Amino acid sequence: MDTNYKNHLGRIIKQQRISLPLTLQELAAKSNVSASHLGRIERGERFPSAHILQRIAKPLGFEEDELFTLAGYLSPQSPMVSEQSPAYSGDRLDPYVARILAQEPLEIQRAVIGILAILQSIAKSKS
Amino acid sequence: MDTNYKNHLGRIIKQQRISLPLTLQELAAKSNVSASHLGRIERGERFPSAHILQRIAKPLGFEEDELFTLAGYLSPQSPMVSEQSPAYSGDRLDPYVARILAQEPLEIQRAVIGILAILQSIAKSKS
DNA sequence: ATTATATTTCGCCAATTGGCATATGTCAAT
DNA sequence: ATTGACATATGCCAATTGGCGAAATATAAT
């Protein structure tokens, strides 16, 4: 069972791995980290050390500092998202979220927003 | 042991601590890392984990990513401050979608991605 | 010198990591 | 169904981390 709330990192890693797509063994081969360990990390039974994160970052398509930030090892100090569009200024869009969504075609991106709006209206009607 | 090999980091940390100046105990108090552990790190008997590095970075006057790089956890190439992430380069994230999502708290952003993943798996199972 | 006091190092130990080997699914084709 | 091939999960274990308290060493003051 998808246990705790606390396992953000494992879910992110797994999702990224699946989306490539890679099996645990393939990722293990590319990163020199045992598949069993990777599996435990994904389901939150182990917490990856910095060395492990460094090894799996590029094979997963992450920048090293990005993964470190997601793991909570690096504070999200990055001004990355505050690029061109001044519309971003106040609020922050999570780099990981942006990366996943950017892979989707435009209509999917918009559909996601639409679903979000529906869920919000539902939540609002209950309060 | 390798008393002079990878102990690069220990020397840097000790030198920085002395130059401030701080005692091991003072640094321990500021960083919530035991003085004994800090001492062993400085003389290369222990290798600091990412959590420890994160705790001692600011008290020592380092930037977090700076210390991580010195520790060999982060590759020297630091494009963080430059500008946009290369991860976005291939695919595009619609500015409108980005603006809407950026207004939501982080957990909502992540939840949206999670829902997207579920829908994708459902769609996949039908094809 | 001889205390007193601060600072560093050491001995021990619980907790965690991460690998290897093995077990348990999962799914296709025969 | 049975087999075989692959993917993921588990059992076990060596190695490391990091804290606490005590010993050792340095520093200061009388």
Side-chain angles (χ1 to χ4, degrees), chain B residues 13 22 25 27 31 39 49 55 57 66 73 81 94 113 115:
Chain B
I13 289 178
L22 286 177
Q25 314 196 36
L27 178 56
S31 61
S49 72
R55 288 203 189 103
E66 196 179 353
Y73 288 150
V81 203
D94 179 68
I113 297 300
I115 292 174

Side-chain angles (χ1 to χ4, degrees), chain A residues 55-77:
Chain A
R55 288 201 190 107
I56 66 178
K58 287 95 60 188
L60 278 176
F62 283 112
E63 292 302 317
E64 287 181 10
D65 55 342
E66 194 180 353
L67 242 195
F68 275 75
T69 303
L70 288 171
Y73 288 151
L74 231 50
S75 302
Q77 55 193 3

Side-chain angles (χ1 to χ4, degrees), chain A residues 101 104-115, chain B residues 94 97 116:
Chain A
L101 261 189
E104 300 301 324
L106 193 60
E107 70 247 46
I108 297 294
Q109 296 181 20
R110 295 249 165 85
V112 163
I113 297 302
I115 292 174
Chain B
D94 179 68
V97 172
L116 176 61

Side-chain angles (χ1 to χ4, degrees), chain B residues 40-73:
Chain B
R40 286 192 245 240
I41 288 172
E42 285 187 352
R43 77 189 93 106
E45 297 176 22
R46 291 287 192 282
F47 211 56
S49 72
H51 285 298
I52 298 294
L53 282 183
Q54 194 179 27
R55 288 203 189 103
I56 66 178
K58 286 95 58 188
L60 279 176
F62 283 112
E63 291 301 318
E64 286 181 9
D65 56 343
E66 196 179 353
L67 244 193
F68 275 77
T69 303
L70 288 171
Y73 288 150

Side-chain angles (χ1 to χ4, degrees), chain B residues 5-19:
Chain B
Y5 200 46
K6 184 73 167 133
N7 194 15
H8 208 196
L9 182 64
R11 299 195 169 187
I12 290 175
I13 289 178
K14 178 166 187 177
Q15 182 169 5
Q16 186 72 11
R17 175 178 65 83
I18 297 300
S19 75

Side-chain angles (χ1 to χ4, degrees), chain A residues 14-117:
Chain A
K14 178 166 188 177
Q15 172 161 17
Q16 185 69 13
R17 175 177 65 82
I18 297 300
S19 74
L20 285 178
L22 286 177
T23 70
L24 283 174
Q25 315 197 37
E26 288 168 335
L27 179 56
K30 284 177 182 286
S31 61
N32 285 321
V33 177
S34 71
S36 64
H37 192 49
L38 290 172
R40 285 193 247 239
I41 288 172
E42 285 188 351
R43 78 190 91 105
E45 297 175 22
R46 290 287 192 282
F47 214 59
S49 72
H51 285 298
I52 298 293
L53 282 183
Q54 193 179 27
R55 288 201 190 107
I56 66 178
K58 287 95 60 188
L60 278 176
F62 283 112
E63 292 302 317
E64 287 181 10
D65 55 342
E66 194 180 353
L67 242 195
F68 275 75
T69 303
L70 288 171
Y73 288 151
L74 231 50
S75 302
Q77 55 193 3
S78 75
M80 282 194 339
V81 198
S82 62
E83 14 150 343
Q84 39 177 357
S85 171
Y88 291 84
S89 53
D91 318 275
R92 300 205 335 264
L93 180 60
D94 181 70
Y96 168 72
V97 172
R99 165 218 254 359
I100 294 295
L101 261 189
Q103 296 174 355
E104 300 301 324
L106 193 60
E107 70 247 46
I108 297 294
Q109 296 181 20
R110 295 249 165 85
V112 163
I113 297 302
I115 292 174
L116 176 61

